Amino acid sequence: MSPPRRTVSIAGAGPAGSLLALLLRRRGFEVRLYERRADPRGQPFDSGRSINLAMAKRGIHALRHAGVIEHLRDTLIPMRGRMIHDRAGATSFQPYGSRPEEVIYSISRHRLNALLIDVAIRQYGARVEFECEVRGCDAGQHRLELGAPGAARAPCSQCAARWVDYEVLIAADGAGSAVRASLTAAGAVQARLEPLAHAYKELTIPAGPDGGHRMEREALHIWPRGDFMLIALPNPDGTFTATLFLDAARLDALRTPEVIDEFLSREFPDAAALMPERVAEFCSHPLGHLATVYAHPWHTGRTLLLGDAAHGVVPFHGQGMNCCFEDCVEFDALLDESTQWEALFAEFTRRRKPNTDAIAAMALENYLEMRERVADPRFQLQKRLSLELERRHPQRFIPRYTMVSFRHDIGYAEAMRRGQVQQRILEQLTAAAKDLDEIDYAQAAREIEAGLAPLDSTTINSSE
Ligand SMILES: Cc1cc2nc3c(=O)[nH]c(=O)nc-3n(C[C@H](O)[C@H](O)[C@H](O)COP(=O)(O)OP(=O)(O)OC[C@H]3O[C@@H](n4cnc5c(N)ncnc54)[C@H](O)[C@@H]3O)c2cc1C
């Protein structure tokens, strides 16, 4: 019998790859991490591209599991709900949950990634090769092709050979995964990238003269405009990062400074007034594209796809990275059971795929909710009613947003299934009601008891 394989190569030191490296080192595995970009520690971040992220319970749980949450506490800004801005600049607040702890957090992507890499290297001794691009792999021969980022065929500065052997390879190289492309080309994996017609552009709302935030700090701000929207998340330095999501063709048509300014000032007058550099930033920041990645299977032999490489989702539920972190925690838990890699990869896929398919679908649905439904009085009534039903039936009725964002013990697939039942109930109850005091709570109780089993007796997240 061959000895157990203890060296794991990881492509990509993004959130998933760096967290996984840390967890594997903690278990004593040798880890070789290959990252295309330079070492992010001590470097300024790339302005104009997804500067901050919303972190919810699944992400917090993973960082706690990895023992790093305390390093990040001072950089987490709680966001207690959505602040909706109408065209006239009036605002209304919609809380995310009914309990004080039901908040999501804004966090710097750069700071988070740099911290995970730092802990993986300094505390756990992970070996990371930066500025080293994985060009692809030969999964049958267990060989990985490396090179300098972007260069034609040159070896990277740290790798003498362009091809290196691996024992086990985990591809965490993101939605555009080179490893996935190799596996697909070899016929081992079937993958499809479904682009969203809408793209995004990031802008900045600077801090006020006193260095403070110029809008409510503890909220995720949304300017819903039907078929497009602007959102803004707070940063610790008093700024907000605003992101405009709009049909890619319409974004592309905004070309001259006058047209750009006219559009932003007309659609988001209060935000535009807080963004003196809006036109310059609009012209210089890159256009971001969005897509959902569907792949199956996620593994062949001793090679596995994980994180966005396996299941990239659109960002409208703020769950992409949370979900990737959950992958890492689930993978770590499976290592308690076995290091028979092929069986482990198959089991990982079996447990995760229904959940990642569910969050992919819910993230697409949530775009409609954020850009359009949040401004609809019927939707607002349903939101308030779902919090009221949770108060009355806490074991059975938990708003879908709460299950996804604050209950890491409930898998995404289960949250989606219960969410569908709950939505039918909400629609029935609000069909003829205009306010909470017009709701028939006796009917609500009957429907909830018939359709929603108490949560502690249902299938919850398989990792718990
Ligand atoms: C606009 C936007 C907003 C988002 N907001 C949120 C949010 O609020 N909350 C949330 O949870 N998620 C959010 N996400 C999703 C989140 O960013 C991703 O799910 C998460 O970053 C995926 O992590 P990953 O490590 O799998 O992949 P990535 O973050 O893509 O990391 C991949 C890493 O691999 C490296 N790499 C890539 N190719 C190669 C190669 N060939 N060789 C070597 N290295 C390589 C990259 O440089 C990178 O470091 C958002 C995404 C976008 C686009």
Side-chain angles (χ1 to χ4, degrees):
M1 196 172 133
S2 57
R5 296 173 200 278
R6 302 289 302 174
T7 303
V8 181
S9 298
I10 301 176
S18 50
L19 179 62
L20 189 68
L22 185 164
L23 296 174
L24 287 168
R25 280 298 300 143
R26 193 165 75 175
R27 285 181 175 270
F29 290 96
E30 289 303 317
V31 170
R32 292 190 185 143
L33 188 49
Y34 302 103
E35 169 56 48
R36 182 167 61 188
R37 291 178 304 185
D39 187 342
R41 295 173 299 170
Q43 301 245 3
F45 56 79
D46 267 357
S47 93
R49 195 137 245 176
S50 188
I51 290 164
N52 53 21
L53 296 152
M55 170 105 73
K57 190 66 191 290
R58 293 170 206 267
I60 299 282
H61 173 68
L63 296 178
R64 190 170 286 135
H65 174 75
V68 298
I69 191 70
E70 292 311 324
H71 298 292
L72 290 164
R73 282 237 180 262
D74 61 332
T75 61
L76 295 172
I77 302 181
M79 298 185 290
R80 305 184 183 285
R82 294 166 170 161
M83 187 68 81
I84 310 298
H85 298 244
D86 73 13
R87 276 202 172 79
T91 56
S92 58
F93 183 72
Q94 297 176 5
Y96 279 133
S98 52
R99 300 178 183 87
E101 70 276 16
E102 290 179 347
V103 298
I104 57 174
Y105 296 92
S106 177
I107 186 168
S108 150
R109 176 191 287 273
H110 179 82
R111 176 107 196 252
L112 173 63
N113 207 173
L115 174 90
L116 288 173
I117 287 175
D118 193 49
V119 175
I121 294 175
R122 289 207 303 155
Q123 192 172 335
Y124 291 103
R127 204 177 104 188
V128 188
E129 293 184 19
F130 293 104
E131 297 179 74
C132 177
E133 184 171 83
V134 174
R135 298 265 168 82
C137 75
D138 177 342
Q141 299 296 316
H142 309 111
R143 293 195 321 151
L144 197 55
E145 190 184 6
L146 305 172
R153 311 303 300 166
C156 76
S157 54
Q158 295 159 74
C159 315
R162 278 202 307 112
W163 284 92
V164 294
D165 293 335
Y166 64 82
E167 289 188 357
V168 174
L169 172 64
I170 301 183
D173 50 346
S177 171
V179 174
R180 192 184 68 233
S182 294
L183 301 185
T184 310
V189 164
Q190 292 189 333
R192 159 170 76 86
L193 209 100
E194 218 156 82
L196 194 75
H198 288 209
Y200 70 94
K201 182 81 88 169
E202 285 192 342
L203 303 169
T204 312
I205 297 179
D210 59 349
H213 291 86
R214 301 181 75 185
M215 304 186 295
E216 167 58 47
R217 175 180 184 263
E218 296 195 348
L220 190 154
H221 293 260
I222 309 182
W223 291 257
R225 297 295 181 259
D227 53 359
F228 59 95
M229 68 176 181
L230 181 74
I231 66 169
L233 274 71
N235 298 310
D237 62 0
T239 64
F240 283 87
T241 302
T243 311
L244 170 66
F245 294 95
L246 177 66
D247 180 88
R250 283 182 70 189
L251 254 178
D252 194 46
L254 298 173
R255 294 227 166 146
T256 65
E258 296 73 25
V259 171
I260 294 165
D261 200 25
E262 192 278 327
F263 173 79
L264 294 175
S265 303
R266 181 185 69 232
E267 297 295 343
F268 319 109
D270 55 335
L274 299 176
M275 296 191 287
E277 299 299 323
R278 57 191 178 274
V279 174
E281 284 190 338
F282 197 100
C283 294
S284 61
H285 287 178
L287 191 64
H289 294 279
L290 301 167
T292 306
V293 174
Y294 299 97
H296 194 72
W298 289 348
H299 58 97
T300 178
R302 284 184 259 126
T303 306
L304 172 74
L305 303 173
L306 177 143
D308 270 17
H311 52 69
V313 302
V314 295
F316 304 113
H317 223 304
Q319 283 291 317
M321 183 192 59
N322 285 276
C323 177
C324 295
F325 280 173
E326 196 172 66
D327 278 2
C328 298
V329 174
E330 190 105 26
F331 191 84
D332 191 44
L334 280 170
L335 286 167
D336 281 341
E337 295 170 24
S338 157
T339 46
Q340 294 298 315
W341 296 101
E342 297 181 26
L344 192 152
F345 290 172
E347 180 58 11
F348 174 75
T349 308
R350 191 190 69 74
R351 290 191 191 186
R352 290 301 288 157
K353 178 98 170 102
N355 287 314
T356 63
D357 284 348
I359 191 57
M362 291 190 285
L364 283 164
E365 275 174 31
N366 227 44
Y367 189 28
L368 196 65
E369 175 166 323
M370 289 178 81
R371 70 182 203 225
E372 185 175 313
R373 297 191 69 219
V374 286
D376 173 5
R378 198 162 125 84
F379 169 84
Q380 291 168 6
L381 175 61
Q382 289 178 359
K383 274 275 162 200
R384 292 203 309 279
L385 178 58
S386 56
L387 295 178
E388 177 59 21
L389 294 178
E390 182 187 25
R391 194 184 66 74
R392 289 169 184 251
H393 307 276
Q395 292 305 319
R396 292 177 189 263
F397 194 106
I398 301 176
R400 188 174 95 175
Y401 189 88
T402 302
M403 288 190 281
V404 169
S405 300
F406 309 130
R407 292 290 301 263
H408 71 276
D409 57 331
I410 303 173
Y412 290 121
E414 178 67 1
M416 185 161 95
R417 190 194 67 74
R418 293 181 76 95
Q420 284 160 350
V421 176
Q422 293 179 171
Q423 189 54 33
R424 278 197 297 277
I425 296 174
L426 289 172
E427 272 161 23
Q428 277 171 22
L429 294 172
T430 56
K434 292 218 161 35
D435 214 331
L436 285 188
D437 54 14
E438 294 172 25
I439 299 295
D440 181 345
Y441 288 107
Q443 185 199 348
R446 285 193 300 277
E447 300 284 350
I448 288 169
E449 279 180 28
L452 294 163
L455 249 176
D456 45 10
S457 70
T458 59
T459 315
I460 56 172
N461 202 338
S462 52
S463 69
E464 296 296 315

